[in-house]
Amino acid sequence: MRVVRISCVGTRHLSPSSSVRGCEAHSDDVSASSAGLINADAEDASCSSTPSWRIKKSLTCVCFNRKRAYERICSNLTPLQEERLKRLRKRMKNYYDASRPDHQDALRALWSATYPDEKLQDLISDQWKNMGWQGKDPSTDFRGAGFISLENLLFFAKTFSTSFQRLLNKQGGKRAAWEYPFAVAGVNITFMIMQMLDLEASKPRSFIRLVFLQMLSESEWAFDLLYCVAFVVMDKQWLDKNATYMEFNDVLRCTRGQLERELMMDDVFRIEDMPSFSLLS
């Protein structure tokens, strides 16, 4: 994509990050999330040779060439974008509370959507380990990404049940002896997307965030849809690399790189336009 420097309301600039590296070149330390797997740092370079565009502080809007026409993405959000971003931020700050009946119901709903023919004995049960939680109480694994990570899993299970079950049961492809735990991986994917989109920042610091905000105006469920795409992309990367549990961090970092490249494509205006969306069923 060719970035065009144009005056919109004043002087606007985009500058490429100087630290673009390939997957194998990563040497930054990354910290493990409370979910148990390792997450890529928000500022870490993605697995691609595409520049990571950083937006300078003076930005009020960005003009760029997409589909051979100039389109404007403004940091001054429309009322619809503002409202949807506000709701999404609220979801991101909502932590799982085991004492709340609605949170308990959501956990039960996840079980029912995942194992419709098997009765859950209790909210704290060894049964949860079969889904890929670290222990018998899945609520302890939500600390890394909060209640939204449970909502993401539930949305995936209900919206794309075939893909959800395929990944849950590790169907298709040559699998490693030491596989990634499904549910905990899902929490890490939520955390990775939150880092990538940088939605908590008061001002946009990456072009990816501005692209996503445009998508949020198209669908309030853009975050959840992007999560589903990210999960199937991660699994595909896992199989392509013949990865094992200890390589999960590298796979997640390359998944982020793939998502960023697709979000920046000229003909991608909605999550459904991303090439990897076709992996969902």
Side-chain angles (χ1 to χ4, degrees), residues 206-218:
S206 71
F207 201 60
I208 290 294
R209 165 174 159 161
L210 295 178
V211 171
F212 175 77
L213 289 177
Q214 285 295 104
M215 293 179 168
L216 195 60
S217 67
E218 296 290 333

Side-chain angles (χ1 to χ4, degrees), residues 88-94 145 148 194 199-200 223:
L88 181 53
R89 282 174 167 169
K90 185 176 181 180
R91 290 176 62 196
M92 290 167 58
K93 293 179 179 178
N94 188 16
I148 191 173
M194 289 194 296
L199 297 177
E200 291 291 351
F223 187 95

Side-chain angles (χ1 to χ4, degrees), residues 148-214:
I148 191 173
S149 59
L150 171 55
E151 292 179 313
N152 287 159
L153 278 168
L154 185 55
F155 180 90
F156 189 16
K158 289 186 173 183
T159 310
F160 302 103
S161 58
T162 301
S163 293
F164 182 89
Q165 291 292 334
R166 176 174 57 82
L167 270 59
L168 168 71
N169 296 304
K170 301 296 191 298
Q171 297 171 344
K174 183 180 179 181
R175 297 284 175 175
W178 196 8
E179 277 286 304
Y180 64 85
F182 175 79
V184 174
V187 175
N188 277 264
I189 290 171
T190 298
F191 188 74
M192 178 269 289
I193 295 174
M194 289 194 296
Q195 285 186 317
M196 180 181 75
L197 299 179
D198 194 30
L199 297 177
E200 291 291 351
S202 58
K203 292 184 179 181
R205 296 181 293 188
S206 71
F207 201 60
I208 290 294
R209 165 174 159 161
L210 295 178
V211 171
F212 175 77
L213 289 177
Q214 285 295 104

Side-chain angles (χ1 to χ4, degrees), residues 28-139:
D28 296 351
D29 290 334
V30 290
S31 59
S33 76
S34 59
L37 295 179
I38 297 176
N39 291 289
D41 184 79
E43 296 300 325
D44 207 11
S46 64
C47 298
S48 107
S49 58
T50 304
S52 176
W53 293 98
R54 301 297 178 190
I55 302 172
K56 294 185 177 180
K57 293 181 180 178
S58 61
L59 174 75
T60 58
C61 70
V62 176
C63 292
F64 65 101
N65 193 11
R66 173 175 273 190
K67 270 194 171 180
R68 299 182 179 178
Y70 294 120
E71 292 194 15
R72 180 173 295 178
I73 292 182
C74 295
S75 59
N76 294 326
L77 304 179
T78 66
L80 178 61
Q81 288 174 310
E82 189 73 49
E83 180 60 30
R84 288 181 174 177
L85 177 59
K86 182 179 179 180
R87 288 199 291 265
L88 181 53
R89 282 174 167 169
K90 185 176 181 180
R91 290 176 62 196
M92 290 167 58
K93 293 179 179 178
N94 188 16
Y95 293 96
Y96 184 87
D97 185 347
S99 66
R100 288 182 54 169
D102 57 331
H103 286 199
Q104 295 174 7
D105 289 344
L107 198 56
R108 291 190 184 95
L110 175 63
W111 179 269
S112 297
T114 306
Y115 302 108
D117 299 324
E118 183 179 348
K119 182 180 179 180
L120 178 65
Q121 300 303 318
D122 198 346
L123 287 179
I124 299 178
S125 169
D126 283 329
Q127 290 175 285
W128 288 108
K129 296 179 183 179
N130 296 329
M131 196 185 297
W133 300 105
Q134 294 187 99
K136 59 176 65 177
D137 184 4
S139 67

